[in-house]
Amino acid sequence: MEKSYNNKEVLDLLGEIYKKEIAGVNRYLHFSFMIMGYNRIPIQKWFRENAQEAMEHAIEIGEKITSCGGHPPIASPQVEEMGDHSIQQLLEESLKGEEDAVALYKELASLAEKIQDIPLEEMARNFVKIEVEHVDEVRKMLVKSR
């Protein structure tokens, strides 16, 4: 049976993560629209896949919030736009977003361990793994070709 508790700290953090994932959907879709040039098709596809994955993460987090007795936030944070739509800039912005996600999921894993909620901890650790893989992938994409 799913653990039900009124742990405001857990629900607040899950809400923050939910908003971050929703912002990721918006950011990655926007990036996919702004790609121009001969690299457009594979990079646009990559950004759209990331938008879809962010939505899947938001759905899982939203379900977890309601399982814990909470209410997923309806608002998402403002997605800052740097105005430079070069692939380099978009990837650098993506890297920042992925690194922020890693930090939030690590915080969730630590909190879940503290309250001894093993399913929540395992979910958070799985998301840490996924987001770290994204960070690694974006870092590789940012390496200049030789």
Side-chain angles (χ1 to χ4, degrees), residues 2-11 14 64-70 108 111-112 115-121:
E2 187 67 33
K3 192 172 206 171
S4 179
Y5 45 78
N6 291 323
N7 188 326
K8 182 173 174 9
E9 189 176 6
V10 170
L11 288 172
L14 285 169
K64 188 60 155 177
I65 291 169
T66 57
S67 293
C68 295
L108 181 61
L111 182 57
I115 64 172
Q116 298 181 341
D117 185 333
I118 294 170
L120 180 63
E121 182 182 358

Side-chain angles (χ1 to χ4, degrees), residues 55 74 107 127:
M55 185 178 340
I74 195 74
E107 185 179 346
F127 278 126

